[in-house]
Amino acid sequence: MVGVLEAVVPSIAVGLIFWLAMRFVVRADRNERTAMAALEAQEDRERAANSAAPGRGGSDPTENV
C-alpha cells in the first residue's frame, strides 16, 4: 500500500501545481479583460462627451494637440 502512495503522490502534486497555475492564468486574463473593457467604456464616454461639446470634434486632426 505504501508503494502505491509513493507512486501516486508525485503525480497528484504535479497535477495540483498545474491546476493552480492554470487557475491563476485564467483569473488574471479575466481580470485584465474586465479592466480593459472598463477602460474602453470610459474612453468611449469621454469621446462622446468631447464630440458633443461645442467647438470640439472637428475634422482638423491637430485641433486637440
Side-chain angles (χ1 to χ4, degrees):
M1 183 68 174
V2 175
V4 172
L5 287 177
E6 289 176 355
V8 173
V9 169
S11 297
I12 292 173
V14 169
L16 182 62
I17 291 170
F18 177 76
W19 178 78
L20 288 172
M22 292 307 297
R23 181 175 178 232
F24 174 77
V25 168
V26 169
R27 283 187 175 189
D29 181 60
R30 179 177 37 207
N31 291 339
E32 183 177 1
R33 288 176 187 261
T34 302
M36 288 300 295
L39 179 62
E40 288 175 4
Q42 179 183 359
E43 289 173 349
D44 289 343
R45 284 191 303 271
E46 289 173 359
R47 212 173 293 122
N50 287 340
S51 66
R56 297 280 188 158
S59 61
D60 184 9
T62 61
E63 182 178 288
N64 294 328
V65 175

